[in-house]
Amino acid sequence: MPLARIDLRKGKSVEYRQRVGEAIYQAMRAVGVPENDRFQIFQEHDAGTLVYDPGYLGIARSDDFICIQITWNEGRTLEQKKALYLGIADGLHAAVGIRREDVFINLVEVKRENWSFGNGVAQYVS
């Protein structure tokens, strides 16, 4: 049910993107996302088309800045969300060396009826 949109600077290898995707997926699995529920969209940006403040809230960001937006079902606890944020930042640091300061995460929570996984059917609606 989660859909992860991952925006990063152009020029990273396929292997790099795969490792990023796997780290994000494993962090989501750790907070209860079902196995094989993996939908990710990568968007690469030229310089100047991924705009971020390099010092907002006292966090020093570099050009390795990565923006991750996850749309998923509402209902997770604050503790699960915090664990997800930390799991993604730590996982990306371990997988590809991204500085934790460069990991920006935004969660979008939706109702279960807002998904169709194919066939024009709302699979989560009884």
Side-chain angles (χ1 to χ4, degrees):
M1 93 212 91
L3 170 63
R5 299 188 65 89
I6 301 141
D7 292 272
L8 66 163
R9 204 44 99 77
K10 194 177 273 185
K12 303 295 185 187
S13 70
V14 170
E15 179 189 359
Y16 181 95
R17 291 190 307 272
Q18 288 172 338
R19 293 172 72 188
V20 165
E22 183 64 22
I24 293 168
Y25 173 66
Q26 291 306 321
M28 290 190 299
R29 292 276 296 129
V31 297
V33 169
E35 185 176 358
N36 299 321
D37 193 353
R38 183 174 179 169
F39 298 89
Q40 300 175 332
I41 301 167
F42 282 83
Q43 180 70 46
E44 293 184 293
H45 298 271
D46 290 320
T49 64
L50 181 60
V51 179
Y52 58 90
D53 189 288
Y56 183 66
L57 295 178
I59 301 168
R61 294 172 191 85
S62 75
D63 284 342
D64 279 334
F65 175 83
I66 184 169
C67 179
I68 303 157
Q69 183 176 64
I70 300 171
T71 302
W72 65 357
N73 289 341
E74 62 187 4
R76 292 193 172 72
T77 67
L78 177 58
E79 291 74 28
Q80 286 173 305
K81 293 174 188 179
K82 287 179 175 182
L84 176 69
Y85 302 146
L86 186 59
I88 290 174
D90 286 348
L92 290 174
H93 181 72
V96 293
I98 293 176
R99 296 169 55 248
R100 290 167 184 88
E101 296 90 343
D102 287 323
V103 180
F104 178 96
I105 304 165
N106 171 244
L107 295 179
V108 179
E109 294 184 299
V110 300
K111 295 187 179 305
R112 294 177 63 84
E113 70 235 23
N114 292 330
W115 298 97
S116 174
F117 290 89
N119 297 320
V121 175
Q123 285 83 2
Y124 287 151
V125 177
S126 356

